[in-house]
Amino acid sequence: MAQGTVGEVLVTLLERRGVEMVFGIPGVHIVELYRGLKASSIRHVTPRHEQGAGFMADGYARATGKPGICLLITGPGVTNAITAMAQARADSVPMLVISGVNPVATHGHEDGFLHELPDQSATMGSVAIWSHTLSRAEDLDRVVERAFTAMTQGRPGPVHIEIPTDVMAQRIEVPPPRAADPARRAVDAEHIAAAVAALGKAERPLILAGGGAVGAADDLVRLAERLDAPVITTTNGRGILGGHDLRVPASPSFPAVQDAMAQADVILAVGTQFGRTDYDVYDAGNLPKIACLIRVDCDPMQMTRGRVPDIPVLGDAGQAVARILVGLDGKAASNDGAAWAARLRAEAHGSLSASYKTSIAMIDTIREIIPGARIVGDSTQAVYAGNLYADIDQPRGWFNASTGYGALGYGAPAAIGACLGAPDTPVVCITGDGGLQFVLAELGTAMDELAPVIFVVWNNNGYQEIERYMEDNGIAPEGVRPSAPDFVAVAQAYGMEAEAIDGLEGFAAALDRAHKARAPRLIEIRID
């Protein structure tokens, strides 16, 4: 049989699993894993910082539905990526981080080797759903298999494989190809029957759709139509019913939406964690009682978190929704669902502040000027507004880091990853003057990769949301006005075309110019 180094065989195994792109920064502790990469079909993208690599992998995964892959050095390389891994875990995003680690014999001794951690695998295991040290080169194939299984067969999330530097160069046989097993956990027939029975009798059904429902979007639309049920989408589920009369693109934290949940006689929740940042963003602690909750989730542990269901449906969302749809064949519902959804949209939007309505108008402008654009956000005022209400026209068309872990600096690198993963879909990044400064150098990555992301910088001169929160709670604002650079000049220093506008009056025209350029562009919106 053919042989190769661990690094060469690793590249082969990744190719076999359909990996098209890796995000990483080479270093002496990992160069052996790069052996064979240049001659492969896998594209390597070099960010400016390992956190950027993690966020790019996250954006790639959300845009494509495939795992995002990082290749990082031991020590500071992996610890720099922990923030991105924590965001991926909170939002159930599949990410594989492959790193180096010092030779096996040095582990646990703390003899002062370069990039040494007391226990790197344990450090990574605090955020990864699975972390493994490849102590024996011949175990590489099954370890990679376990990593992909962990990422894709249960609740998705980040996994980590570390390879000691003395193992990387060892030669092993290239394992024979084998068929991948894409099967997800099969749903239980009794649970499906119970869900069908409850929904079949429902007179006022409601559907909650989270990020885990994205892969079941088409069948979920048909199920909503059969039930005549409004569909409330969380941040990561936004766009599943884009443009449909039954859509409710509003946060479940709205009082009007919570009232609707209390009025429903049966609620079907698909792929949603019932996390506080979606369902109780104001931390009011007054989530409504639910008469009958059917919950579809691929993770049995997740069923015990948030809201415990009356009827659990454990398994893949796509399988579950499809089988429920078949079970309800022939049901003719007339529940005035479209009228109910229209009232919810109006009540939710009407309860927003004037400043948030301005932000949402900007998001609407993006959709009008660039139909079908994917909008990737950072933690910034305009994105907070959109998470409360944004009428997105497609699944995977809106995601950001303002829910779950809530990392700052996510937007720009995640947008680059999304753009590279799905280059036929236009990408607009909404980021703030504070958040962009966390990852400002990644503008250079966009130029290197010719990723035509439009970076929209919402410049309100600091951390305005935090400043207002401090004022509202009687705290003298401090530390909320960091100075910003000339963003246009910085972008131009990387060779990127850029312009600044005052307020939103000229935004549509600037956006149109940027879109027609088909190249990385930056638009700074200066907010008074």
Side-chain angles (χ1 to χ4, degrees), residues 19-27 30 34 37-38 40-60 68-73 412-423 441-451 453:
V19 173
E20 303 165 328
M21 191 173 299
V22 298
F23 303 90
I25 301 176
I30 200 174
Y34 277 72
L37 186 60
K38 185 133 183 114
S40 75
S41 62
I42 298 174
R43 178 177 178 179
H44 185 274
V45 177
T46 308
R48 298 305 191 268
H49 190 279
E50 288 90 357
Q51 180 175 285
F55 286 149
M56 287 179 195
D58 179 303
Y60 173 93
I69 315 295
C70 293
L71 204 54
L72 306 176
I73 66 164
I416 294 168
C419 183
L420 295 175
E442 301 302 353
L443 296 179
T445 307
M447 293 301 296
D448 285 353
E449 302 298 328
L450 301 178
V453 177

Side-chain angles (χ1 to χ4, degrees), residues 72-341:
L72 306 176
I73 66 164
T74 184
V78 291
T79 55
N80 281 343
I82 281 180
T83 295
M85 293 175 68
Q87 186 70 52
R89 178 158 185 162
D91 288 346
S92 302
V93 176
M95 177 190 298
L96 171 58
V97 175
I98 303 171
S99 78
V101 69
N102 282 310
V104 174
T106 72
H107 296 181
H109 294 294
E110 296 189 65
D111 286 331
F113 283 85
L114 182 65
H115 299 335
E116 185 178 61
L117 279 169
D119 189 338
Q120 180 172 285
S121 186
T123 300
M124 301 301 284
S126 66
V127 291
I129 59 175
W130 183 74
S131 180
H132 184 86
T133 304
L134 183 74
S135 301
R136 301 192 326 150
E138 56 267 31
D139 290 338
L140 178 64
D141 186 29
R142 62 178 178 170
V143 168
V144 171
E145 183 69 20
R146 279 185 203 157
F148 276 82
T149 299
M151 282 190 293
T152 60
Q153 301 301 301
R155 180 188 172 195
V159 300
H160 170 237
I161 300 172
E162 62 179 16
I163 304 178
T165 53
D166 55 338
V167 174
M168 291 180 191
Q170 292 179 20
R171 296 188 66 80
I172 55 175
E173 292 183 348
V174 179
R178 59 181 170 186
D181 180 13
R184 299 291 292 269
R185 179 193 293 268
V187 292
D188 184 84
E190 290 185 11
H191 291 165
I192 291 293
V196 168
L199 290 167
K201 297 175 184 176
E203 296 180 356
R204 201 165 176 77
L206 198 66
I207 297 174
L208 304 174
V214 170
D218 291 342
D219 277 344
L220 195 62
V221 171
R222 286 189 281 271
L223 180 58
E225 292 172 342
R226 187 159 298 172
L227 294 170
D228 196 19
V231 179
I232 298 162
T233 49
T234 67
T235 295
N236 289 326
R238 204 64 58 80
I240 286 176
L241 260 78
H244 200 285
D245 288 344
L246 290 171
R247 76 194 187 283
V248 183
S251 169
S253 294
F254 277 114
V257 177
Q258 294 198 350
D259 288 345
M261 291 167 62
Q263 293 165 16
D265 56 355
V266 179
I267 291 180
L268 173 64
V270 183
T272 177
Q273 298 177 33
F274 282 93
R276 288 283 180 158
T277 49
D278 273 316
Y279 288 85
D280 190 19
V281 70
Y282 300 113
D283 203 21
N286 57 353
L287 290 176
K289 292 183 178 180
I290 297 174
C292 177
L293 176 62
I294 304 167
R295 189 170 177 186
V296 177
D297 202 287
C298 65
D299 182 4
M301 289 300 294
Q302 199 62 36
M303 289 286 194
T304 68
R305 303 181 184 118
R307 286 302 181 95
V308 177
D310 300 286
I311 302 173
V313 180
L314 185 62
D316 176 68
Q319 291 183 27
V321 172
R323 291 184 63 180
I324 291 171
L325 189 59
V326 170
L328 291 169
D329 187 32
K331 178 177 173 60
S334 180
N335 305 310
D336 294 324
W340 192 13

Side-chain angles (χ1 to χ4, degrees), residues 312-437:
V313 180
L314 185 62
D316 176 68
Q319 291 183 27
V321 172
R323 291 184 63 180
I324 291 171
L325 189 59
V326 170
L328 291 169
D329 187 32
K331 178 177 173 60
S334 180
N335 305 310
D336 294 324
W340 192 13
R343 286 196 301 273
L344 288 174
R345 291 196 299 270
E347 289 173 10
H349 190 274
S351 67
L352 292 163
S353 67
S355 63
Y356 270 22
K357 287 179 179 177
T358 298
S359 297
I360 292 166
M362 183 193 76
I363 295 167
D364 290 340
T365 299
I366 294 172
R367 291 182 53 240
E368 292 164 7
I369 299 298
I370 314 176
R374 176 171 288 121
I375 304 174
V376 181
D378 211 325
S379 292
T380 190
Q381 188 179 64
V383 173
Y384 301 149
N387 283 351
L388 288 176
Y389 192 100
D391 204 351
I392 305 302
D393 54 12
Q394 61 176 323
R396 305 185 192 276
W398 172 270
F399 58 82
N400 54 75
S402 292
T403 60
Y405 194 61
L408 200 58
Y410 171 90
I416 294 168
C419 183
L420 295 175
D424 294 334
T425 301
V427 176
V428 177
C429 170
I430 302 176
T431 184
D433 55 298
L436 183 57
Q437 290 188 75

